[in-house]
Amino acid sequence: ASGILFLGDHDGTALALGLLCPALPIEVVDIDERVLGFACRTAAARGWRLRVSAADLRLELPPTLAGSCSVVFTDPPYTPEGVGLFLARAVEALSPCGHARVLMAYGFGETQTALAYRTQSVLHQLRLVTEAVLPHFSEYDGAPAIGSTSALYVCRPTRRTAAAAAALPTPAQVYTHGRE
C-alpha cells in the first residue's frame, strides 16, 4: 500500500501535503461534498494524484479502501465517540504491511483535561500504541475550546487492534452540537 488516506479533511491537510509531495497518491474521504469538490478542483489544477470519496463514516468506510493504506490521517470530531469512530475506520483502512500507522490530530483546552482523558482512553481501548505526540501540529483561529491548537498523535496498531476496532460500537452522534 502506498500513499495516504485522509478521513475527513475540513482543514485541507491533504492539500497541504499535495503541495509538499505532488506525486504522492492521496485519497480523501469526507461527508461534505463541498470539501471534496474543493479538493478535486485544487488537485486537478495542479496535476496531483488525489482521489475523493463521499462517505458517512457512521455507516461504513468505502469498501474499496478497506485494507488499502499504510498511512491514515484523521482530524476527527473531538469527542470520545468521534475519535473512536474515525480511528476504527482508520484501522479498517490499514493494510497488513507491518509498518502501518494512524496519524490523528487532536487538541483540548486547558480546562478540558477530563474530556481529553476520556478521548485519549479510546486509543487504549483500540489497542493502539502512541509512538509520538507532536504538539502544535495545527493551529486554529477562533477555537479556544480546544486551546486553538492540536497535537499530532502517531499511533501504531498492535495485533489486537483490528479486533478491538471491529468490536467498537458505532455511535449515532459524533459531534457535541450542530448539524451531523
Side-chain angles (χ1 to χ4, degrees):
S2 62
I4 184 168
L5 170 63
F6 287 81
L7 294 181
D9 196 33
H10 275 100
D11 58 4
T13 307
L15 298 177
L17 183 60
L19 282 170
L20 296 172
C21 305
L24 181 69
I26 298 172
E27 181 88 31
V28 177
V29 175
D30 204 293
I31 194 170
D32 189 333
E33 293 190 15
R34 295 170 300 169
V35 168
L36 297 174
F38 180 73
C40 277
R41 289 188 303 276
T42 303
R46 289 163 175 79
W48 299 341
R49 297 175 59 193
L50 185 138
R51 292 184 343 175
V52 300
S53 301
D56 183 342
L57 295 177
R58 292 173 297 177
L59 303 177
E60 70 178 350
L61 177 74
T64 58
L65 296 175
S68 68
C69 304
S70 57
V71 178
V72 180
F73 178 93
T74 188
D75 187 353
Y78 287 1
T79 61
E81 298 80 12
V83 168
L85 173 65
F86 278 60
L87 288 178
R89 296 297 186 234
V91 168
E92 279 182 60
L94 291 177
S95 66
C97 63
H99 59 272
R101 297 294 186 273
V102 174
L103 309 176
M104 177 182 72
Y106 177 72
F108 58 94
E110 286 295 316
T111 62
Q112 300 293 324
T113 54
L115 174 62
Y117 178 79
R118 288 194 319 274
T119 303
Q120 291 175 5
S121 294
V122 173
L123 298 170
H124 300 285
Q125 184 180 355
L126 290 172
R127 306 300 191 256
L128 288 165
V129 174
T130 304
E131 290 185 316
V133 178
L134 308 171
H136 306 291
F137 175 73
S138 294
E139 292 187 12
Y140 306 100
D141 193 25
I146 62 164
S148 298
T149 186
S150 67
L152 180 67
Y153 289 69
V154 179
C155 302
R156 180 181 194 174
T158 66
R159 61 185 177 89
R160 293 198 169 105
T161 298
L168 195 70
T170 302
Q173 184 172 347
V174 294
Y175 298 99
T176 55
H177 57 67
R179 219 175 89 207
E180 286 290 320

